[in-house]
Amino acid sequence: MESVPDSQLALEAQAEKLGINPKDPGLRFAAALGNGLQEESIRKFVSENIQDQFDGDLNFLYYTTKGESLGGPNSKSITFEEALFGSQSNFRTTEPSLEFDPLMQVALRGPEERLIDFSEIEEGIPVLYIAPEQDLEANPFVPMISEDGSVSEYDTRIVPDIPVLVISQNERLVKVPKNPAARIQSGDACLQSATPYFSDGTNDYYFYTDYYCGGGGLIDNPPGGVGGSTGCDRDLNSNWERIDRVRFTTMGWLNEASNWADGAPEVFFIVFTGSSQSNLAQIKKFIPKVDRSKWKDCSVFNCKTEWVFPSNLEIFNWVKLDYSQTMTIQWYEYDPGDSVTDEQEVNYKDPITGIEYTRTETVVTSDNDEYLGMTPVEYCNDATGADAKMYTTGQIDFVLRID
């Protein structure tokens, strides 16, 4: 009977100590890689694939690279997989609960200033393994394999002084079953025009920006590259929504909402976001009060309404998964009075599928408030620069921006 190497026994013991199944394929891969990095050809292969930055990060997937040749004069026919395991059969498991995860990646991590010019994996670099199911907040310790094959644990709350290789699950790709029925539950509407990064026969794997109807940014190209996919403005900009400008559509509506005797209009709006959190489902904001003359531009013969520019009036950060793909904004001119409660139906769109639905919202206003209309805002409407969309309720015009 062939004896088990001491290094493997130590690794399995360390895994059990940390609550990881010692037969976990990812752990076995980490051990094989740690041992393989003694070979220059493997270090070069790892370096080159990490620098490709297929998703904009210093990492690569084992699944998509395992069949590639290491190259070099003595290893032209040897693949990455063969160099680590001898053959594919040596990296299989007979336990269904331990299926190999195609999203397992090799990533270069460590102090950011040390990673900028890091272009070649050095001999002796430590390898850490983070199991997909591990909660690092509850248990921050992970197995670490050192250059001499010794196994210890590492506290992930501490940034290492030197670069390390981390074996973990990629978080920028989303697994989507090929089964049509399952795809309906997976935001298939966003994937109609998207191409998966790779497939494993059972599932397709998409960049999360495609899965959530977003643009790619650096996802398809490393820094300095040209091109890449583009998506909605809000996918590419994480700033908060803000009211850039607002005006009454006509002098008639300005005078009806607030005549000369009323002084300056006190305009506010309610945003129905579709959030499941009560404190975020409705967001109420007032336009900062300005002199009545700021709302209009008068000449000798006539007056016309004028834009009022609130000073960076932020509303909320439209993270699509937390809200609807459509939000509705209702406008009012405030006048004190008794509180009234109304119920009205508001249309929303599911954050993933885009399927429309209606929800009854309870709205509390004053009985003297002047209702100025409502209008929907779509997630993918232009929201940056000079192309930012102007909306109108018929009584109020406004521009919503995120830049």
Side-chain angles (χ1 to χ4, degrees), residues 70-369:
L70 292 186
N74 299 319
S75 55
K76 290 183 179 180
S77 62
I78 298 178
T79 65
F80 184 39
E81 179 179 46
E82 291 169 340
L84 294 181
F85 299 103
S87 70
Q88 183 180 6
S89 61
N90 291 335
F91 191 41
R92 288 179 175 172
T93 175
T94 57
E95 299 179 46
S97 62
L98 295 177
E99 293 182 358
F100 170 70
D101 185 355
L103 291 180
M104 188 170 63
Q105 69 178 12
V106 181
L108 185 67
R109 299 287 187 260
E112 294 184 5
E113 66 277 6
R114 295 286 301 276
L115 301 181
I116 295 175
D117 298 320
F118 200 97
S119 59
E120 185 176 344
I121 299 300
E122 300 172 352
E123 185 175 359
I125 188 170
V127 176
L128 280 60
Y129 176 62
I130 301 176
E133 67 278 4
Q134 182 168 353
D135 181 354
L136 292 179
E137 290 188 5
N139 177 20
F141 295 96
V142 300
M144 182 175 73
I145 304 163
S146 301
E147 59 180 303
D148 59 0
S150 61
V151 180
S152 58
E153 63 183 35
Y154 190 82
D155 186 344
T156 56
R157 294 171 297 185
I158 302 172
V159 179
D161 296 329
I162 60 173
V164 299
L165 288 176
V166 177
I167 312 305
S168 60
Q169 187 177 43
N170 184 279
E171 296 181 346
R172 297 190 180 187
L173 290 166
V174 179
K175 180 175 69 174
V176 180
K178 286 181 175 291
N179 181 287
R183 289 179 70 95
I184 294 175
Q185 305 299 323
S186 304
D188 191 47
C190 299
L191 303 177
Q192 293 297 329
S193 59
T195 301
Y197 177 66
F198 75 97
S199 301
D200 63 8
T202 303
N203 303 293
D204 293 325
Y205 296 83
Y206 292 86
F207 289 112
Y208 72 91
T209 44
D210 289 331
Y211 179 81
Y212 297 130
C213 299
L218 294 177
I219 294 300
D220 294 323
N221 295 283
V226 178
S229 60
T230 59
C232 305
D233 286 351
R234 292 179 172 89
D235 288 321
L236 307 176
N237 192 319
S238 60
N239 291 334
W240 280 44
E241 304 288 330
R242 67 180 180 86
I243 296 295
D244 178 73
R245 62 187 71 183
V246 60
R247 71 182 178 189
F248 286 89
T249 56
T250 66
M251 283 298 299
W253 285 119
L254 170 59
N255 292 328
E256 184 170 325
S258 179
N259 64 29
W260 65 271
D262 294 328
E266 296 176 315
V267 177
F268 72 95
F269 56 91
I270 300 174
V271 182
F272 300 91
T273 69
S275 172
S276 59
Q277 300 182 48
S278 58
N279 63 317
L280 296 176
Q282 294 184 29
I283 300 175
K284 184 177 181 179
K285 294 276 186 175
F286 273 81
I287 300 296
K289 191 173 181 178
V290 298
D291 186 80
R292 182 181 176 84
S293 65
K294 300 295 184 180
W295 288 95
K296 59 184 179 178
D297 181 21
C298 293
S299 65
V300 176
F301 300 103
N302 68 346
C303 291
K304 61 180 181 179
T305 59
E306 185 67 279
W307 289 109
V308 169
F309 295 82
S311 179
N312 197 31
L313 183 56
E314 293 184 331
I315 307 174
F316 75 119
N317 189 354
W318 196 346
V319 178
K320 187 167 61 175
L321 287 185
D322 296 334
Y323 304 93
S324 167
Q325 288 192 43
T326 300
M327 67 177 181
T328 298
I329 302 183
Q330 287 189 350
W331 289 84
Y332 297 85
E333 200 280 326
Y334 172 75
D335 287 308
D338 295 328
S339 177
V340 293
T341 301
D342 293 321
E343 288 190 345
Q344 54 188 269
E345 291 187 342
V346 179
N347 296 323
Y348 297 105
K349 287 185 179 180
D350 184 90
I352 296 179
T353 66
I355 296 174
E356 295 186 4
Y357 64 96
T358 301
R359 194 160 72 190
T360 300
E361 298 285 2
T362 300
V363 184
V364 179
T365 58
S366 162
D367 59 356
N368 290 326
D369 288 345

